Amino acid sequence: MFKTLSAKAAAQLDQELMSTGAFSIDQLMELAGLAVAKAIYNQYPPTKSTNKVLVLVGPGNNGGDGLVCARHLKLWRNYEPILYYPKRPKKDLYINLTTQLSQLGVSLVDTLEEVKQLLHDLSVSVIVDSLFGFSFRPPIRAPYDDLITYLSENSKSIAPIVSVDIPSGWDVDEGPIDQDIDATMLVSLTAPKPCAEKFSKPGKVHYLGGRFINDTIAAKYGIADLIRLYKNDELIVKL
Amino acid sequence: MFKTLSAKAAAQLDQELMSTGAFSIDQLMELAGLAVAKAIYNQYPPTKSTNKVLVLVGPGNNGGDGLVCARHLKLWRNYEPILYYPKRPKKDLYINLTTQLSQLGVSLVDTLEEVKQLLHDLSVSVIVDSLFGFSFRPPIRAPYDDLITYLSENSKSIAPIVSVDIPSGWDVDEGPIDQDIDATMLVSLTAPKPCAEKFSKPGKVHYLGGRFINDTIAAKYGIADLIRLYKNDELIVKL
């Protein structure tokens, strides 16, 4: 079994990367979102000229990773990302990531009804869950509560869900709670969080991405073996 | 023959990406530097446990691309980037990119004598020329003049040189002038500049990277066919 990083250790590593490591959030988010897009391409390559990808974007950094992922998918062609981004923080970073997408002609749906309609039509090939990340604490508030309940209740009849770092609604350390997302694929960033151990079931796919630490930092957090799984110049690895 | 972007058009596109496009320089530099590193990996994969890569870093954005490239090479293991960065602008972006490298244990050489010694020892596998980009205007000032003269006079006996966007010393639109770098490989960013036409000779290798525009923007600049050369989710393409 792979080594995991607790919610606390993950927050500490993130903090270290941005203080001592001198990384900007723009850089880390760019590399994280790119890794998620690469994993999606690897697992669900476009099969027709337009493969709709519904990207569910949360209010924080996990949402930012989803926005970056959507941009790369769009640039790689044959994917048609559609955003559901109900709460948008008034920070330059998120405003700019959203503008980049609108400049590329990526469309948005505004209501949960539209999301349900899209999924009901079966026109969506992949759903990206970039709602909440490792700093999420319950309870899930509106409008995400209804969305997650809908996804949870309809998981068998809708497109596969790819969760960014954490299946939204899961406790980062403990795993599934009452109301959560039944993801098919998980892309852990930097390192899997403890909840990822509950994700290892037949039919589930698990990738690692976010290759921005070296062996020394990895060793400090006990994840040196994990980082060594990356091959050559690959930005992702299937676990 | 591929379509090129004049110095003026390239500056205009860069400006458009950062204004209307809402890209931050951190993002563009991260993607550009990553593309250069990917091209180096593709062309000169590590052949032993330590492949020294001498990265010549200029004072502007071209230098920043080199710094990002050095970081990715270092993280991919088996490359040992060494920086020569004689003039460092006091901007947060460059200071942070340099700190990231020192945190990863990347070493620096301080003098041109040390650069010459390294190259003379034949211990360097690849030289990255990230001195000047498309906004360069002659003359070449100290200490770059002596460095470029040395590289130019010794091009047959030293490691292959990979130039980032423009072989340093070349006129962006016209190509080679008196004092310039005889690169073996060129990585054009976004699109080749007119001088790249002078680069197409036997034994020369040309890559394109920096995949951050879509077909619509590309069409506006007359480079739609070029952008369509990228395959799948690749970040680079060999021209």
Side-chain angles (χ1 to χ4, degrees), chain B residues 111-138:
Chain B
T111 66
L112 188 54
E113 284 315 304
E114 288 170 278
V115 168
K116 289 179 184 175
Q117 193 59 52
L118 263 175
L119 295 174
H120 184 74
D121 292 345
L122 301 179
S123 63
V124 169
S125 307
V126 178
I127 302 166
V128 177
D129 157 30
S130 57
L131 291 170
F132 305 119
F134 68 77
S135 50
F136 167 74
R137 294 286 169 278

Side-chain angles (χ1 to χ4, degrees), chain A residues 4 20 32 59 62 71-72 92 112 128 141 160 180 183 208 212 214 221 225 231:
Chain A
T4 63
T20 329
N62 201 262
R71 170 162 41 82
H72 288 287
D92 282 349
L112 188 54
V128 177
R141 293 173 207 281
D180 51 51
L208 177 67
F212 27 63
N214 66 354
Y221 287 85
D225 288 350
K231 298 278 177 263

